[in-house]
Structures are given as structure tokens and as C-alpha cells.
Amino acid sequence: MAYGAKPLEGPATFADIEALPEGVVGEIIDGTLYTQARPRAAHGYFELRLFRELDEAFQLGGEGPGGWWLMTEPGIRVGGSPEFSPDLAGWRRERVPTFPKGQWTDVPDWACEILSPSTRAYDTRIKRPFYARIGIKHLWFIDLDVRTLTVSELRDGLWVEVGVYGEEDDLIRAPPFEERDLRLGWLWKLLPPPG
């Protein structure tokens, strides 16, 4: 099932998300409910590997600078959007000093989306401009089909591509995590061949 805007009587609410059938996930962006099938195995596997790669150095502060809250698929609420969820997101602790007791209500400083055939158009056409409007500063797109990481920064309200890295790039330094090498080559290991 590709992404789709679900027609509703009025602006979408969190109750509309809770009413979705099993295996379907949803997000509300600018009052519209978007639904798609739950991601497949390679998507979830890569998401966990990337989280593991960043967690120790940037969230826990072991052998790295710390200073971040990092989450996989957090439910985030901002004006007009009671629920959206990047595949991974991060907040600088200098800006968001305490972990929320409930839902995240602060805009992340970094978001990462893992593109798949069913979410590629949604992530690039709907979420990318939405992330710029709400002020996320750093956006990563991981494309499992072509094994690339595209890194963008928000400058004057527009996304500027600052790097594209592939499976042959073993160690990289990519904003906002440039204080430590990212083992990009390690992240691709054990994934099924693209295609």
C-alpha cells in the first residue's frame, strides 16, 4: 500500500490514528491523515543499526560528545500536526534539557527517513517540505535501494544538500554528528541485496 491521504470530515485527530487497522501506520501533517503500510524487515533492521551507531556516542556520551536525545519512531506533536513520526529523530539537550513525560512537543533538531518503495514519494513530497516549515535543521534520507545517505541542512527555509554517501564510504562525518566517525560501511552489512 503506497501512502495516501485519508478523506475525513474535518481535521484529523489522534483518534483517527488509533482507529487504523493493524499493519497500517499513520501521521497527521497539517491536519491531513496520511497512511501507509508498516515498514518491512530491511527498513527496521537498518533503523536499529543506525540508532545503535549513534546512541553510544551522542546520546549516552560514551566515546563521544553526548548532548542528544535520540529516538526511533517518536510520536511528535506540533501545531497543526498532533502526530508525526520520523524513522529516527534527535533533539539537542541544550535546547530540550529534559526527556518528555508524554509525547514529544518540541521540533527535533535532526530527522532521518529511510526511503522504501511505499514511502519514498510521501517522505520526499510531503514530509520534506513539512520538516522545513517546522524548522528541523538537519535531514537525512537513507535509500536502501541504491544504498545512499543524503544529508541536508535547512538554510533560510530551504534544504541544502551537504553530502551524499554510498555503501563504499566506510567512515564519514555528517552533520549534525560530525564530531565522530559514522561507520557507514558497517551499517549496510547483512542487508539483502538492493532491488
Side-chain angles (χ1 to χ4, degrees):
M1 173 171 127
Y3 83 91
K6 187 172 180 180
L8 301 169
E9 294 291 320
T13 67
F14 193 76
D16 296 313
I17 289 176
E18 291 177 326
L20 292 173
E22 186 176 327
V24 175
V25 294
E27 297 178 290
I28 300 169
I29 294 182
D30 296 330
T32 300
L33 175 62
Y34 293 93
T35 61
Q36 60 269 346
R38 182 156 300 286
R40 298 296 169 232
H43 180 286
Y45 180 74
F46 193 90
E47 181 180 297
L48 290 173
R49 288 184 67 92
L50 179 57
F51 179 82
R52 180 178 170 213
E53 180 71 1
L54 297 172
D55 181 52
E56 177 66 26
F58 293 97
Q59 182 159 237
L60 301 176
E63 297 183 26
W68 284 83
W69 298 115
L70 299 171
M71 297 290 299
T72 60
E73 302 180 17
I76 304 168
R77 182 183 69 225
V78 297
S81 296
E83 176 81 7
F84 72 96
S85 184
D87 292 324
L88 293 109
W91 294 259
R92 293 184 186 272
R93 289 189 195 179
E94 64 193 28
R95 194 174 62 79
V96 183
T98 58
F99 197 85
K101 291 184 179 183
Q103 189 176 24
W104 289 91
T105 56
D106 293 287
V107 171
D109 294 290
W110 167 76
C112 177
E113 296 292 353
I114 301 171
L115 306 178
S116 64
S118 64
T119 65
R120 180 182 317 278
Y122 172 63
D123 288 338
T124 58
R125 294 180 190 160
I126 304 296
K127 291 180 92 172
R128 183 176 167 96
F130 171 70
Y131 289 166
R133 279 196 311 278
I134 64 173
I136 293 177
K137 302 292 183 207
H138 302 275
L139 178 60
W140 290 11
F141 277 159
I142 308 279
D143 191 325
L144 296 180
D145 287 340
V146 294
R147 304 228 175 166
T148 57
L149 162 62
T150 303
V151 177
S152 300
E153 289 183 354
L154 190 63
R155 296 181 188 163
D156 298 322
L158 300 173
W159 290 116
V160 175
E161 189 176 284
V162 296
V164 178
Y165 308 94
E167 67 181 312
E168 70 282 350
D169 295 306
D170 192 30
L171 297 175
I172 65 165
R173 291 195 175 216
F177 303 111
E178 60 265 33
E179 296 94 348
R180 184 175 175 272
D181 287 334
L182 177 68
R183 299 177 298 166
L184 189 60
W186 175 83
L187 291 172
W188 302 116
K189 288 185 179 182
L190 301 179
L191 280 176

